[in-house]
Amino acid sequence: MFAPDELTDDGFLGGRLRVLQPGRGYRAATDPVFLAAAVPARPGQSVLELGCGAGVASLCLAARVPGLRLAGLEVQPAYAELARVNAARNGVSLEVVEGDLAAMPPVLRRSFDHVIANPPYYPAGGGTGATDPGRERAMREDTPLGLWIEAAVRRLAPRGILSLIFGADRLPDALSALDARMGSIAVLPLQAREGRAAKRVILQSRKGGRAPFRLLPPFLLHEGACHEGDGESFTPPAAHILRNGGDFPFRLI
């Protein structure tokens, strides 16, 4: 487990959430906040987060939608314990289970209305390895992306919705892993600035959905052609999500 002096106390959603994170390990940034904002959950529904880390995505979703039944699966015990602590200190009921999604713990072998995940960014053997083992495990694929998607689909109830955020270069892998059980696929590119290629995408799909595939216009994160000065440059819609816990100005599916 992490010692107190290894942790930082970070604010999310304009300080509405206070989250303990390791100073040198895997640290959540904007991806889990955008993921949570995209989930079309309603009060009373159930949500499973695969690879919940310190719990940021689930906590952001709870802040936006009250009355959810939240569960998280995390393979690293120290991060699972952090997620429990963070849920408690923010007054959120979050069932955190330690385990590997490739061998789903029996307690989570039930159906959920939503499954969400922010899978590791780098494929096995890609990129430069992190010196911190927790960050390396969180950022580099150990379990193939296809198995993440298979585990999610198995846990979805009929008409349930899968929501993922990941690197745009992994989109072909994700689409190929979605079989005939899933449909109504929508992909939202997250574009850092005008004129730049999107490096992240949000993908949603409904179990048993039949709507045609949709590629949405890019969602612009920053104003201006480049970062200038020390201030933030988020567009108003992006700032509304990151600072106010707001929704995207549209639904993906």
Side-chain angles (χ1 to χ4, degrees), residues 37-228:
V39 180
R42 302 188 304 274
Q45 290 189 320
S46 57
V47 183
L48 170 63
E49 182 181 2
L50 299 178
C52 68
V56 173
S58 290
L59 296 179
C60 288
L61 181 55
R64 184 171 64 85
V65 184
L68 295 173
R69 291 175 285 125
L70 296 165
L73 176 66
E74 173 54 45
V75 71
Q76 300 191 74
Y79 286 86
E81 181 59 26
L82 264 189
R84 296 186 188 101
V85 170
N86 286 328
R89 73 200 301 256
N90 286 284
V92 174
S93 179
L94 173 63
E95 174 191 6
V96 181
V97 178
E98 293 175 25
D100 191 335
L101 60 85
M104 187 66 63
V107 69
L108 293 178
R109 292 177 190 170
R110 60 186 194 260
S111 295
F112 294 84
D113 299 303
H114 298 269
V115 177
I116 68 175
N118 178 13
Y121 184 68
Y122 298 109
T128 301
T131 56
D132 178 83
R135 178 177 173 82
E136 175 70 6
R137 183 71 185 270
M139 296 293 291
R140 192 171 316 283
E141 185 178 277
D142 182 48
T143 301
L145 180 59
L147 289 184
W148 281 73
I149 292 175
E150 175 63 24
V153 172
R154 285 179 177 270
R155 301 278 62 83
L156 279 172
R159 305 293 295 170
I161 295 175
L162 170 65
S163 299
L164 303 172
I165 186 168
F166 51 84
D169 60 330
R170 305 305 305 279
L171 181 57
D173 299 324
L175 291 174
S176 67
L178 290 171
D179 58 25
R181 293 170 292 176
M182 303 297 292
S184 304
I185 300 169
V187 174
L188 173 65
L190 300 179
Q191 184 181 25
R193 297 183 187 275
E194 288 279 5
R196 297 190 185 181
K199 293 187 176 181
R200 293 285 197 278
V201 296
I202 294 175
L203 180 150
Q204 283 187 341
S205 180
R206 185 185 295 276
K207 194 170 188 177
R210 294 293 179 264
F213 174 86
R214 296 173 63 225
L215 177 61
L216 284 75
F219 183 78
L220 188 63
L221 303 183
H222 295 278
E223 296 177 321
C226 62
H227 184 69
E228 298 179 358

